[in-house]
Amino acid sequence: MFPFFSRTKKTWIDQPVIDYLMGINSLFVIYYSIRVNGQSILFKFRDERGRFLADIYDTRAKDVSIGYQGNTMLYTYHICDRLDADELPKIREFFDSIIKDYPTTNSELDINQLTDIQGQFKEQLEDTLQVKSLQLFPPNKYDTSVDNDIHISINYLSEQQRERFTRFLNRLDWDCVDVMVTMHLNNATEEEITATQAELDMLEMQERYNEEEED
């Protein structure tokens, strides 16, 4: 009678690569995808609390991706054959170059908890500043992501709301939430540009007048 020897199942990823991916800042969601009937299906590599989830024996794995706080914009590293330890420097270089452009944190909150806090603070901001955020896109049953960004149409604010809002913006420095103001010149009409030009000219005249007064 011959003994039967069990063969160790082959994984699509080596332990050093797993260790590196698990060490990526908790603000990044990590996915791996498999190919089924010509379609890519995403699975989480770890859960919101940082616990390992991936099936390392699923040889259908085709790539690994990361998204900041679950953002739908993903950065993807494709798997040629498998992610072995020899490829780790290349993998690390790819993801590190992305991670450095995003803010990180020492907080122990998981992403779900952070999302809840963002939503609560959004309500506080709207109440305190007496402004209401616009919904840029209608709800989509296929997109269950949460948009906690605040979108303000300055043109429709009252003078009092504008004054309060701009005073608040003037208080924000580099350590605060990132704020970007967009002027929609791409869709502007000639009349809108003319009216805005008039306001710009008035501002310039006022500044010149103030400078002359100071002299």
Side-chain angles (χ1 to χ4, degrees):
M1 195 168 181
F2 298 97
F4 291 92
F5 297 95
S6 60
R7 296 181 58 188
T8 303
K9 291 180 66 176
K10 189 175 183 180
T11 65
W12 57 268
I13 185 171
D14 280 351
Q15 189 61 47
V17 183
I18 294 175
D19 293 341
Y20 165 71
L21 293 175
M22 291 294 290
I24 288 177
N25 191 278
S26 60
L27 290 182
F28 290 88
V29 181
I30 307 175
Y31 304 93
Y32 70 100
S33 71
I34 66 171
R35 197 80 172 166
V36 178
N37 297 326
Q39 299 291 325
S40 288
I41 303 176
L42 284 177
F43 293 94
K44 286 188 177 180
F45 192 83
R46 64 183 182 187
D47 67 13
E48 288 77 9
R49 296 185 179 182
R51 294 175 296 195
F52 184 68
L53 295 176
D55 179 358
I56 62 175
Y57 299 107
D58 193 337
T59 55
R60 297 173 297 176
K62 296 300 179 185
D63 49 52
V64 174
S65 306
I66 63 172
Y68 187 71
Q69 294 196 41
N71 196 304
T72 54
M73 176 182 287
L74 300 181
Y75 301 92
T76 301
Y77 187 92
H78 298 286
I79 302 172
C80 294
D81 180 25
R82 60 189 305 274
L83 300 182
D84 57 37
D86 292 339
E87 197 173 348
L88 180 56
K90 185 177 178 182
I91 298 168
R92 184 189 297 273
E93 180 182 8
F94 176 79
F95 286 120
D96 284 358
S97 66
I98 295 163
I99 293 169
K100 68 178 178 61
D101 293 330
Y102 287 89
T104 55
T105 180
N106 294 320
S107 171
E108 295 182 359
L109 295 177
D110 63 40
I111 293 178
N112 288 341
Q113 293 169 326
L114 182 57
T115 299
D116 290 341
I117 289 177
Q118 291 168 351
Q120 294 167 14
F121 186 57
K122 176 179 181 178
E123 293 180 1
Q124 181 185 350
L125 277 171
E126 290 177 328
D127 291 342
T128 303
L129 298 177
Q130 300 174 7
V131 297
K132 189 66 177 175
S133 177
L134 300 177
Q135 187 177 52
L136 295 185
F137 304 101
N140 186 330
K141 65 179 181 179
Y142 300 107
D143 182 7
T144 58
S145 60
V146 177
D147 182 13
N148 284 324
D149 283 351
I150 293 182
H151 311 279
I152 303 297
S153 178
I154 301 296
N155 305 61
Y156 295 101
L157 297 181
S158 67
E159 183 177 349
Q160 182 180 10
Q161 287 174 316
R162 293 186 196 188
E163 195 274 336
R164 187 180 183 87
F165 187 60
T166 53
R167 276 196 294 117
F168 170 69
L169 291 183
N170 284 336
R171 299 183 63 88
L172 304 184
D173 59 18
W174 186 253
D175 293 327
C176 297
V177 172
D178 185 41
V179 177
M180 177 177 293
V181 177
T182 303
M183 297 188 71
H184 297 283
L185 295 179
N186 288 336
N187 299 319
T189 64
E190 181 180 359
E191 291 82 0
E192 290 171 337
I193 292 174
T194 300
T196 307
Q197 178 69 60
E199 295 297 335
L200 187 63
D201 292 341
M202 290 294 292
L203 175 64
E204 192 173 24
M205 289 174 58
Q206 182 66 48
E207 289 181 343
R208 289 177 181 172
Y209 174 80
N210 292 340
E211 290 174 358
E212 292 175 355
E213 286 288 301
E214 291 177 357
D215 293 339

